[in-house]
Amino acid sequence: MIGSLVPRAVAALTATHPGLQIGLTGTQPPEALELLRTGEIDVAIVFRYDDTEPEPPGVRLHHLLDDPLYLLSTSPGQTLPALRDATWIAGCERCRGHLLSLCADHGFEPRIGYVSEDMVVMQALVVAGLGVTTSPGLALRAHHVEGIVASELPGSRQHIYAATYGEPPDPPATTALLAALAEAAASIDGDPPAPGSQSDPPS
């Protein structure tokens, strides 16, 4: 997510505001929101699903885009039900919860054989034939290993937000960053699908 969205926004922002200093810290959404609450950061980029718990009081969410989720395997036309007996590669607890929910909707619990939060590692495991996994579209735009077949999961989305804390108005620098992020998100939304992807896998 960060690799596809943030560099575009920061590059555009530094071009129009050359004196503005911007730093970047990578962490999971709960930790990012805590850094936001304590004032250690001004903006957090977070993802959530439809069933994600509401954010803590004081957090304001600015919607950037809805990011499709993809099923990653080495064969075209794969679906979740067809992979009920496969070995699965799971990410962080937050991501895994959504994977478990998706699989439960199709009547099975995934057999998780590998765990990693690194999308490069996860894709390498898939290409090696060791398992299958899911991935947000933004992660695929940032890194797509040759041999990966990405089949879009219909109706499954990550909702991407920029989060700020406290009552409006935001400081001018924060407002400028939010605008740059929104512009970057709009440009990504119009990008072509990741190479080798399938937007409508068979049911």
Side-chain angles (χ1 to χ4, degrees):
M1 179 173 66
I2 287 178
S4 296
L5 180 62
V6 173
R8 298 188 189 207
V10 173
L13 191 58
T14 54
T16 55
H17 298 78
L20 189 62
Q21 294 185 345
I22 302 174
L24 176 65
T25 300
T27 187
Q28 293 297 322
E31 290 76 17
L33 292 178
E34 179 60 18
L35 293 174
L36 191 66
R37 185 191 67 80
T38 58
E40 295 181 58
I41 60 175
D42 299 310
V43 177
I45 310 299
V46 299
F47 67 88
R48 66 188 328 276
Y49 299 103
D50 292 335
D51 55 358
T52 300
E53 291 292 325
E55 278 64 30
V59 174
R60 288 184 290 121
L61 296 178
H62 310 262
H63 181 257
L64 297 175
L65 74 156
D66 294 325
D67 189 21
L69 290 183
Y70 291 82
L71 178 62
L72 303 189
S73 68
T74 56
S75 301
Q78 294 285 12
T79 64
L80 282 172
L83 295 170
R84 62 185 306 122
D85 296 323
T87 298
W88 286 81
I89 304 155
C92 67
E93 292 293 334
R94 186 181 177 96
C95 302
R96 187 185 309 181
H98 189 64
L99 171 63
L100 294 175
S101 177
L102 283 174
C103 293
D105 289 342
H106 291 280
F108 73 98
E109 181 177 349
R111 179 168 56 86
I112 297 173
Y114 303 92
V115 176
S116 175
E117 296 186 22
D118 187 329
M119 284 304 305
V120 177
V121 172
M122 295 173 78
Q123 290 189 39
L125 291 169
V126 172
V127 168
L130 298 175
V132 296
T133 191
T134 59
S135 171
L138 287 179
L140 284 174
R141 295 178 195 278
H143 183 79
H144 193 121
V145 174
E146 185 177 355
I148 287 284
V149 177
S151 303
E152 186 174 347
L153 294 171
S156 189
R157 300 283 189 272
Q158 269 191 355
H159 308 297
I160 311 299
Y161 295 89
T164 56
Y165 188 80
E167 295 297 322
D170 294 309
T174 299
T175 300
L177 178 56
L178 291 173
L181 286 167
E183 184 174 347
S187 67
I188 288 174
D189 204 32
D191 281 351
S197 65
Q198 297 182 324
S199 59
D200 294 301
S203 58

